[in-house]
Amino acid sequence: MRISLLLASLLTATLAQAAPPVFSFGAWGDMPYAKNQDATQTEAVIRSLNQSDIRFSLYDGDIKDGSSSCDDATFTRAAAMFNRLKKPLIYAVGDNEWTDCHRLNNGGYDPLERLAQLRQVLANQPDSFGQTRLALTRQGPLGGKFAENVRFSYGGVVFIGLNVPGSNNNLVLSDKECTHKSARTLVQCQAGNAEYAERDAANIDWLRSGFAQAGQQHAAGVVVFFQADPGFDLPETEDVDESTLPQYKGYRALMQALTGLTEQYAGQVLLVHGDTHFFKVDKPLYSPTRVLPNLTRLETFGSPVNHWVRVTVDTRRPEVFTLTPVMVR
């Protein structure tokens, strides 16, 4: 046991010391989904990642589909999948593994109980997943509250991982929504909304401290990664600002904080998320006709379209991040 721990620490140290001026990492998530029978495709994605020259990968949540059981085996299967990666894998929490577990077709679990179990299984170690490891700083104690929020610095870039899931960030807007096709009680939904408020505040604090670290280190870039599509004003509709719709209310405080921090930051910011399963690269803030110049959004592929995205980092270039979709046969 001591030998394996020593080996893991040596691998972590070696990886951290070997960060080159130009490197790549992978971004992927929202797979495998049993309902889409895409386990074989997901294995192909893992093989492709393992055969690449990336230094590590970010998985932006949803380790299963939204209509299957949320049993304990879901978490252990995800850990086993992540540990098949040869390079470090850093996990951000999705909604299908806890927020949506109240659904009757998920087994009617209490989402807060599932979140506690998830933290025990998937946020209980000081480093990443993978056959080589990367040291992480966690916001909370191992396996405890907010342990899933992580941060690390690599190659002149600060990476910030947050628990920001789909389904409106676990914010319930009405009694009808609470009980629709759900095993939740109104008391559980009240507890869920209290959880949302506490976690949202913690996420914003973690975001701010991450940007402060980037400023102190004179980092050329910041990568913020989480699961949810937080809602943006779409250019296709001139008269509607989709970011103000009720289903995105749970993200507004966080996105306002991200906007303000990006405005004050001299480097480039890359926002990586999944959730809606369509590969996108754009500049969605401030609005379709007036962009926030130093923020780029990457939305990763997701089931049943299972591929990954290579992000190349070159801190000598003003744009810092170059994004390339990797289409897996």
Side-chain angles (χ1 to χ4, degrees):
M1 184 66 164
R2 291 179 180 177
I3 294 175
S4 62
L5 289 172
L6 176 62
L7 179 60
S9 65
L10 289 173
L11 289 170
T12 299
T14 300
L15 186 61
Q17 293 167 5
V22 181
F23 68 93
S24 294
F25 66 89
W28 59 301
D30 291 289
M31 65 180 86
Y33 276 24
K35 70 177 183 180
N36 293 332
Q37 299 180 331
D38 58 14
T40 300
Q41 294 180 25
T42 301
E43 288 301 317
V45 170
I46 293 172
R47 284 196 301 272
S48 178
L49 288 161
N50 280 340
Q51 292 166 1
S52 74
D53 62 352
I54 59 169
R55 308 295 289 189
F56 54 86
S57 67
L58 309 179
Y59 182 96
D60 53 17
D62 273 10
I63 57 179
K64 72 174 194 70
D65 64 68
S67 57
S68 58
S69 175
C70 288
D71 57 10
D72 290 355
T74 298
F75 304 139
T76 56
R77 282 195 301 267
M81 179 178 77
F82 295 155
N83 283 326
R84 290 203 296 275
L85 273 295
K86 293 181 179 179
K87 300 295 178 63
L89 181 138
I90 302 89
Y91 163 66
V93 178
D95 57 296
N96 288 353
E97 47 261 45
W98 75 277
T99 308
D100 298 339
C101 293
H102 64 88
R103 296 173 180 170
L104 296 176
N105 60 5
N106 280 230
Y109 290 87
D110 178 352
L112 302 191
E113 182 276 330
R114 288 292 81 191
L115 176 58
Q117 179 65 16
L118 181 153
R119 287 166 169 162
Q120 285 289 320
V121 178
L122 298 177
N124 65 348
Q125 59 191 33
D127 48 11
S128 68
F129 293 97
Q131 294 170 22
T132 55
R133 301 295 176 94
L134 189 64
L136 304 174
T137 300
R138 295 189 180 273
Q139 187 177 19
L142 295 181
K145 187 180 290 186
F146 309 133
E148 69 275 20
N149 284 353
V150 299
R151 188 164 67 236
F152 64 98
S153 181
Y154 191 87
V157 174
V158 173
F159 293 79
I160 306 168
L162 300 171
N163 181 357
V164 183
S167 296
N168 210 4
N169 208 3
N170 198 39
L171 175 63
V172 180
L173 299 178
S174 69
D175 291 354
K176 181 179 179 180
E177 178 185 333
C178 173
T179 56
H180 180 65
K181 296 182 179 180
S182 173
R184 288 183 298 195
T185 66
L186 296 181
V187 171
Q188 286 176 322
C189 288
Q190 291 170 357
N193 283 347
E195 184 281 331
Y196 152 76
E198 183 183 23
R199 180 172 42 80
D200 195 44
N203 283 339
I204 292 171
D205 285 346
W206 195 239
L207 189 69
R208 287 173 176 158
S209 63
F211 271 86
Q213 177 180 327
Q216 293 164 3
Q217 295 179 353
H218 303 289
V222 170
V223 176
V224 180
F225 61 103
F226 52 71
Q227 204 271 327
D229 181 343
F232 299 101
D233 186 2
L234 301 177
E236 296 85 354
T237 55
E238 294 183 4
D239 300 328
V240 178
D241 180 354
E242 286 80 3
S243 69
T244 64
L245 295 175
Q247 61 262 40
Y248 299 119
K249 184 177 181 180
Y251 308 113
R252 296 283 58 83
L254 177 69
M255 295 308 295
Q256 289 170 5
L258 177 60
T259 300
L261 291 164
T262 302
E263 289 171 336
Q264 299 167 18
Y265 179 59
Q268 294 293 317
V269 177
L270 177 64
L271 171 61
V272 180
H273 72 82
D275 191 20
T276 36
H277 301 212
F278 293 103
F279 169 67
K280 297 176 185 174
V281 177
D282 61 3
K283 291 186 175 292
L285 299 177
Y286 304 107
S287 72
T289 59
R290 187 172 71 93
V291 300
L292 181 54
N294 61 328
L295 185 138
T296 300
R297 180 265 292 265
L298 163 63
E299 180 178 342
T300 55
F301 294 100
S303 179
V305 184
N306 298 300
H307 306 285
W308 62 280
V309 182
R310 176 192 295 273
V311 182
T312 300
V313 179
D314 186 346
T315 58
R316 302 168 301 183
R317 298 172 63 90
E319 63 271 22
V320 181
F321 303 109
T322 301
L323 311 177
T324 306
V326 178
M327 310 305 291
V328 179
R329 295 187 65 179

